[in-house]
Amino acid sequence: MITMKTRLFAIALCFASVAYAQADTTPASPITKLEIIDVKAGSGKEAIAGSTVTVHYTGWLFDAKASKNRGAQFDSSIGKSPFNFPLGAKRVIKGWDTGVTGMKIGGKRTLIIPSELAYGTRGAGNVIPANAALVFDIELLDVK
């Protein structure tokens, strides 16, 4: 015999299951910390917080199954004007402020950036989904 208490428990369990199924199930990024890979050491002036840096870059969505983890390319300054920004002034994603610091002019780095140091749960428009890890190739052209 099914008691009223059992029926209420079953109903509550159904509502909980529906609520869980409707929750955001976007998987978290497999990358948990910033990875900095020096491809070429520079020999010029060093990029430090407070300086303005000029870079060329290409950015991809992180894809663990793709060659060098480079999924879909979403942006690049190659063939366009280089990008300038004040280092450490929070004008770019945290992964860039941290990952470009210490580079020297002429240097090239690959940054693998966890979503928490990129665009996090909000993503960026239709280009970068929520919780996306990113891969950037960055070449430091100038430091002022």
Side-chain angles (χ1 to χ4, degrees):
M1 177 174 216
I2 299 176
T3 66
M4 181 60 107
K5 191 174 184 179
T6 304
R7 283 185 188 171
L8 290 175
F9 177 75
I11 291 169
L13 187 60
C14 287
F15 281 119
S17 296
V18 169
Y20 177 77
Q22 291 177 346
D24 181 14
T25 57
T26 305
S29 166
I31 302 302
T32 58
K33 65 177 186 152
L34 176 65
E35 294 181 42
I36 298 173
I37 303 160
D38 283 312
V39 176
K40 176 186 172 192
S43 58
K45 188 174 179 181
E46 184 174 339
I48 60 171
S51 60
T52 297
V53 298
T54 303
V55 300
H56 262 310
Y57 68 91
T58 301
W60 297 268
L61 297 176
F62 178 87
D63 183 346
K65 297 176 185 174
S67 174
K68 296 185 179 181
N69 301 127
R70 288 164 170 83
Q73 182 179 318
F74 59 84
D75 196 12
S76 182
S77 68
I78 305 298
K80 303 175 192 173
S81 295
F83 180 64
N84 301 300
F85 67 97
L87 191 59
K90 299 181 181 180
R91 300 268 175 90
V92 293
I93 60 175
K94 289 179 186 178
W96 271 42
D97 270 338
T98 302
V100 172
T101 299
M103 288 183 76
K104 292 183 178 181
I105 294 175
K108 294 182 180 184
R109 273 187 182 166
T110 296
L111 304 177
I112 301 177
I113 304 174
S115 65
E116 296 79 21
L117 298 179
Y119 297 97
T121 58
R122 72 184 188 277
N126 295 330
V127 180
I128 300 172
N131 301 315
L134 307 175
V135 178
F136 282 95
D137 284 341
I138 297 179
E139 178 180 8
L140 184 61
L141 304 173
D142 197 14
V143 176
K144 291 184 180 176

